Amino acid sequence: KAIWTPWGSLESVLRFSDESDAVFKQAMARNISLILSSSCESNKSARYPHPPQSTVMFFAKKTPDVSILYYVERIIQYFECSKSVFYVALVYLERAGRAEPSLRLNLLNVHRLFLTAMVLSAKFCEDECYTNQHYAMVGGVGLNEMNTLELALLQVMQFKLHVPHQEY
């Protein structure tokens, strides 16, 4: 027996909600990957100093086979966090690039930097979050590496995670 609401059966309302949520997530993944890809492209020709030892762990030896779009989609799917977490993570990436020019996004560091910014943002913004083991599995890194990345980004940002409304 179907449960009816003013908008139709509860089942059809939930299905519509799930479908629109999926469309929203796809659009969000596309937009975030475009932002990240554009940033990588604009930094492609810039000359930045060799990364200091404290940030070298963010850099892959070669460009990862996983596309930025696929990586963002995976994070959206398995982080299960609010939209604000993504906005704050983008602010963290901007801050990191300003604080340490070698951390401006490029194809060698974008995956690890985005993952780490998302972890910090989720922990700062959400009331409940997953463990680093979960985040590491989603991001395709080991637990020790995830812990190291998290601490390194915190240090680059001088542990300043608050994002004032004007910066948001």
Side-chain angles (χ1 to χ4, degrees):
K1 185 176 177 182
I3 300 172
W4 285 90
T5 70
W7 308 279
S9 75
L10 184 58
E11 181 181 307
S12 67
V13 171
L14 291 176
R15 185 172 47 250
F16 174 77
S17 175
D18 288 345
E19 288 171 8
S20 64
D21 189 49
V23 169
F24 174 78
K25 286 179 178 180
Q26 286 176 339
M28 191 161 97
R30 241 186 343 268
N31 289 336
I32 291 171
S33 69
L34 281 172
I35 291 168
L36 297 175
S37 297
S38 295
S39 187
C40 289
E41 187 62 33
S42 68
N43 293 328
K44 190 187 236 179
S45 61
R47 292 262 185 229
Y48 298 111
H50 185 70
Q53 191 61 36
S54 61
T55 62
V56 76
M57 75 285 298
F58 288 104
F59 292 84
K61 291 184 185 343
K62 67 179 188 76
T63 304
D65 294 330
V66 176
S67 73
I68 295 171
L69 176 59
Y70 175 81
Y71 202 70
V72 171
E73 287 172 338
R74 182 171 171 80
I75 286 174
I76 287 172
Q77 180 178 1
Y78 293 107
F79 269 47
E80 299 180 39
C81 56
S82 62
K83 292 179 279 189
S84 60
V85 170
F86 292 91
Y87 297 121
V88 170
L90 293 173
V91 171
Y92 290 171
L93 291 174
E94 178 66 28
R95 286 181 181 179
R98 273 189 273 131
E100 175 51 60
S102 68
L103 288 183
R104 292 190 179 142
L105 294 179
N106 62 53
L107 293 176
L108 297 177
N109 68 15
V110 65
H111 294 82
R112 286 187 180 102
L113 278 170
F114 182 64
L115 170 66
T116 310
M118 282 296 299
V119 169
L120 292 178
S121 182
K123 288 181 175 185
F124 188 78
C125 297
E126 301 286 274
D127 292 332
E128 295 179 19
C129 59
Y130 290 103
T131 64
N132 274 15
Q133 180 66 51
H134 174 81
Y135 293 134
M137 284 190 340
V138 171
V141 299
L143 177 58
N144 288 338
E145 184 178 3
M146 184 75 258
N147 293 338
T148 302
L149 292 169
E150 182 179 20
L151 181 58
L153 191 56
L154 280 167
Q155 289 171 337
V156 166
M157 296 186 349
Q158 299 177 343
F159 293 83
K160 294 178 182 169
L161 298 179
H162 176 70
V163 177
H165 191 66
Q166 302 88 324
E167 198 174 357
Y168 193 77

